[in-house]
Amino acid sequence: MDGMTEATAVREVLVVGASQAGLAASRGLRRQGHHGPITILDAEECGPYRRPEVSKGLLSGKFAPDTVAVTWPDDLELTLVTGVTAERLDAGRRVVTARQDDIVREFAYDGLVVATVAAARPVPLDVVPSGVHTLRTVADSLRMRAELEAAEAIVMVGAGFIGLEVAAVAAELGKRVTVVEPAPVPLERVLGRAFGAHIAAVHRGRGVDLRGGVGMARLDTDAEGAVTGVELTDGTRLAASLVLFAAGSVPAVDWLEDSGATLDNGVRCDATCAVEGLTDVVAAGDVAGWWNPLYGRRMRVEHWTNAIEQGGYAARRLLGRHDPAGFSSAPYFWSDQFGMRLQSIGSTTGHDAVEIIEHEGDTMIVGYGIEGRLVAVAGIDAGKAVNRYRKAVLSGADLASVRPADRVVA
Ligand code: FAD
């Protein structure tokens, strides 16, 4: 078996990253009858939680940290070790070295699941002024929430999903919110112009000052080093006591350097989520760049549902009980902004056609095609309708078959 020893040899499993992918892998191992020890490590102290609430219910104050915590049944028999950061993988000895404050510990394994985070892209400054945030964890969210209460003017740098969700939360709290985005239309690259323009109109209608085609040039600070404003690339100056830098994420794979794993926008895996260059090591979730047979190309997906599905597949892979054709996925994503729900299924990357399937009032469903084949569908306030296209996306249906004849958009 390529990159894997016989399944029976996988006695002791180590999972690095105790979030969705890591927990799904652990559940998958038990479901597949793995009785050996499972140890699951995480750098964060607090234990697993529903990360999507970091920019939604937790930030708005609707939820407290304990209500977003993720629990699992005792019969999973996991050993969870929190506050421990993996620093090195010695694949020859099958040992992960991890640090907890000043204490260095070694964790041995027969099978290893890599399920570490894609961390928030850091603010590109040597010294980050107070009042400037990135958002990825419960701790980030609570820190930002505490400052949000007192802030009047807030600037989001980046109109991706996280920037737009936070803009909506802040606007609903009555704050003056500006979002700056280098692309002319938010989300255009991912979801096309019509969809992005619709989202932008909703935000502007709710009082958000959304500015396309402009980015952050530098930050203004006071004598104490606290942010007071943002200078934009067009020379405009915006006053702000709170800034969110929401410019995407970077896979946290430092601990895999020199391990033999190929690091190339995450950790490089084959179609079956086996990490290339290593034996008995699989990867899942935001960190895994795998060959998706559905699209015939390598991709790395930062979506909640994908992390769960891929974690389950990776567990089966470790035990040799996987579908040998690989992990075929039409990734599903949702985002909540101003009470509306955006959803998408499939991958829009490289799409050459956008078709509006339905558009009535605030509801919109859009199909994306490559060379006449449906590759993804996205919707706004479309209830379960987006999911109805799952089969069509998975089968690469003819784009014309989902397109109403009278509404064709180039
Ligand atoms: P993560 O959830 O990122 O967890 C990885 C874990 O690895 C972390 O707990 C981290 O502490 C740990 N770790 C990292 N490095 C180390 C190390 N060296 N040693 C030990 N532990 C380590 N997706 C959606 O589909 N819909 C949404 O609405 C949505 N909203 C989101 C909002 C925010 C603010 C964020 C940040 C993400 C959102 N996502 C959303 C994405 C979704 O949360 C992720 O895709 C999902 O959490 C990925 O799960 P994961 O297990 O791969 O990684």
Side-chain angles (χ1 to χ4, degrees):
M1 216 188 292
D2 181 34
M4 295 283 153
T5 51
E6 285 301 315
T8 47
V10 178
R11 293 183 308 275
E12 190 160 1
V13 177
L14 180 65
V15 181
V16 183
S19 187
Q20 289 322 300
L23 281 177
S26 306
R27 270 190 222 103
L29 287 162
R30 291 295 184 226
R31 270 191 203 135
Q32 293 294 321
H34 172 72
H35 297 300
I38 301 176
T39 304
I40 178 162
L41 307 184
D42 203 285
E44 287 184 61
E45 287 284 356
C46 63
Y49 53 87
R50 288 182 282 134
R51 196 171 300 279
E53 294 303 345
V54 161
S55 54
K56 305 178 184 69
L58 196 64
L59 189 69
S60 70
K62 183 176 164 199
F63 296 133
D66 56 343
T67 48
V68 301
V70 171
T71 52
W72 59 92
D74 289 345
D75 62 8
L76 275 188
E77 291 181 33
L78 308 180
T79 305
L80 172 67
V81 190
T82 59
V84 172
T85 304
E87 289 191 333
R88 187 163 181 270
L89 166 62
D90 183 338
R93 286 174 59 226
R94 295 191 178 220
V95 164
V96 170
T97 306
R99 180 179 292 274
Q100 188 165 28
D101 300 322
D102 290 338
I103 303 164
V104 174
R105 295 174 64 180
E106 289 198 337
F107 294 85
Y109 66 85
D110 298 304
L112 176 67
V113 181
V114 174
T116 43
V117 72
R121 187 175 300 284
V123 183
L125 293 171
D126 293 337
V127 180
V128 179
S130 61
V132 178
H133 297 255
T134 57
L135 192 59
R136 182 83 211 179
T137 65
V138 160
D140 295 339
S141 188
L142 295 178
R143 254 194 310 269
M144 190 167 171
R145 167 80 198 170
E147 292 182 26
L148 196 54
E149 303 273 353
E152 280 176 18
I154 298 162
V155 173
M156 312 298 158
V157 179
F161 291 108
I162 292 175
L164 290 174
E165 285 183 354
V166 175
V169 167
E172 282 177 332
L173 289 172
K175 309 297 173 183
R176 186 148 46 88
V177 183
T178 307
V179 182
V180 297
E181 163 61 50
V185 176
L187 307 178
E188 179 178 5
R189 189 181 55 79
V190 193
L191 294 172
R193 183 162 281 245
F195 200 99
H198 186 97
I199 301 295
V202 171
H203 276 259
R204 289 187 180 120
R206 301 294 289 263
V208 173
D209 178 2
L210 179 55
R211 303 183 184 200
V214 70
M216 175 183 91
R218 56 182 210 91
L219 295 169
D220 296 328
T221 53
D222 64 14
E224 273 83 49
V227 71
T228 55
V230 181
E231 185 184 321
L232 305 184
T233 46
D234 64 4
T236 312
R237 279 201 138 84
L238 301 170
S241 57
L242 184 56
V243 173
L244 174 68
F245 188 75
S249 62
V250 279
V253 288
D254 300 7
W255 66 285
L256 294 170
E257 269 167 25
D258 305 323
S259 67
T262 309
L263 305 179
D264 166 20
N265 183 25
V267 60
R268 199 176 157 101
C269 306
D270 67 12
T272 69
C273 303
V275 173
E276 289 183 8
L278 299 177
T279 303
D280 295 332
V281 183
V282 292
D286 285 13
V287 78
W290 92 108
W291 183 266
N292 187 342
L294 181 64
Y295 292 95
R297 65 183 157 77
R298 193 166 299 285
M299 59 173 71
R300 192 172 66 76
V301 173
E302 295 183 22
H303 300 348
W304 171 266
T305 312
N306 185 74
I308 294 173
E309 292 172 356
Q310 196 167 25
Y313 180 95
R316 296 193 291 282
R317 175 62 177 113
L318 207 51
L319 300 176
R321 299 190 186 144
H322 58 293
D323 175 355
F327 176 61
S328 246
S329 170
Y332 169 81
F333 176 85
W334 82 93
S335 172
D336 295 328
Q337 299 167 27
F338 290 120
M340 71 182 171
R341 173 153 286 200
L342 278 65
Q343 300 173 81
S344 83
I345 193 150
S347 169
T348 60
T349 305
H351 67 266
D352 56 25
V354 178
E355 305 285 350
I356 298 182
I357 300 170
E358 273 178 55
H359 190 181
E360 245 183 276
D362 285 343
T363 301
M364 187 182 215
I365 303 181
V366 179
Y368 303 83
I370 297 182
E371 294 175 0
R373 278 182 46 242
L374 183 73
V375 291
V377 169
I380 303 172
D381 271 348
K384 294 190 174 131
V386 170
N387 247 315
R388 283 206 295 272
Y389 290 94
R390 177 184 286 270
K391 263 196 186 153
V393 172
L394 279 169
S395 65
D398 196 347
L399 186 60
S401 69
V402 296
R403 173 201 306 168
D406 56 340
R407 286 196 211 125
V408 178
V409 173

